[in-house]
Amino acid sequence: MKYQFCIYGHPVLRQPADPVALIDKAIRILARDMLEIMGEKKGVGLAAQQIGQTVQICTIGFDPKYDAAEPGGARLNPEVELPLVMINPVILSRTGAKTDTEGCLSVPEIWAPVHRAWEVSVKFLNLKGELQTLQARGLLARVIQHEQDHLNGVLFVDRVSAVKKISLSGKLKRMKKKTEAELGLG
Ligand code: NI
């Protein structure tokens, strides 16, 4: 694989991504590779920094059966075709709130409750360069917020409660140290 998968402690995860100026072949290849990596790693979303790229692209995809308020329920976003590739996503509005457990491929073996908006409106470019706007609810809205955070250099562990932060701090410190040692930093 030509990409390095970046784990907590890798400085690129803290670097805000640059907007994509032109959707050229390199961007299309990156998006295709991200979809593939997201699938291999069984993630529900992936942001470019997680594979060391600082451009505003994220991919989102999961089994439509999870696109429901409760197991077996009706789809919350029946009009949305998954997986999605979002280029230069901007969240325009957030409504409602829900706390739910989150994890991240770049922060392995840590799960924690995160408070997010239940519904978001987002605009982005698709791979054809067309401006799209999407109203997303439930898990899809959560993943959009999580990936949008990544593109700004923010991780879900930054958004957990103060108490949870304290309980995770030892684990996170060790993860960061290990990553920095592997990169020859610190
Ligand atoms: Ni993540």
Side-chain angles (χ1 to χ4, degrees), residues 136-158:
R137 295 156 284 266
L139 176 63
L140 181 61
R142 178 168 294 275
V143 181
I144 289 170
Q145 291 169 84
H146 179 116
E147 301 313 326
Q148 161 85 13
D149 269 354
H150 268 298
L151 297 177
N152 291 319
V154 175
L155 300 172
F156 85 100
V157 288
D158 305 337

Side-chain angles (χ1 to χ4, degrees), residues 13 45-47 50 102-107 146-147 150 154-156:
L13 294 173
L46 190 75
Q50 294 181 274
E102 276 186 36
C104 178
L105 293 172
S106 291
V107 193
H146 179 116
E147 301 313 326
H150 268 298
V154 175
L155 300 172
F156 85 100

Side-chain angles (χ1 to χ4, degrees), residues 113-172:
V114 182
H115 193 69
R116 303 262 191 203
W118 189 78
E119 183 170 11
V120 296
S121 161
V122 61
K123 69 169 183 178
F124 61 97
L125 297 174
N126 65 15
L127 276 171
K128 291 179 195 152
E130 298 160 341
L131 185 64
Q132 310 282 300
T133 48
L134 182 69
Q135 196 74 21
R137 295 156 284 266
L139 176 63
L140 181 61
R142 178 168 294 275
V143 181
I144 289 170
Q145 291 169 84
H146 179 116
E147 301 313 326
Q148 161 85 13
D149 269 354
H150 268 298
L151 297 177
N152 291 319
V154 175
L155 300 172
F156 85 100
V157 288
D158 305 337
R159 295 204 181 274
V160 303
S161 71
V163 172
K164 191 74 191 171
K165 245 178 216 165
I166 292 166
S167 78
L168 291 178
S169 68
K171 242 182 170 176
L172 288 172

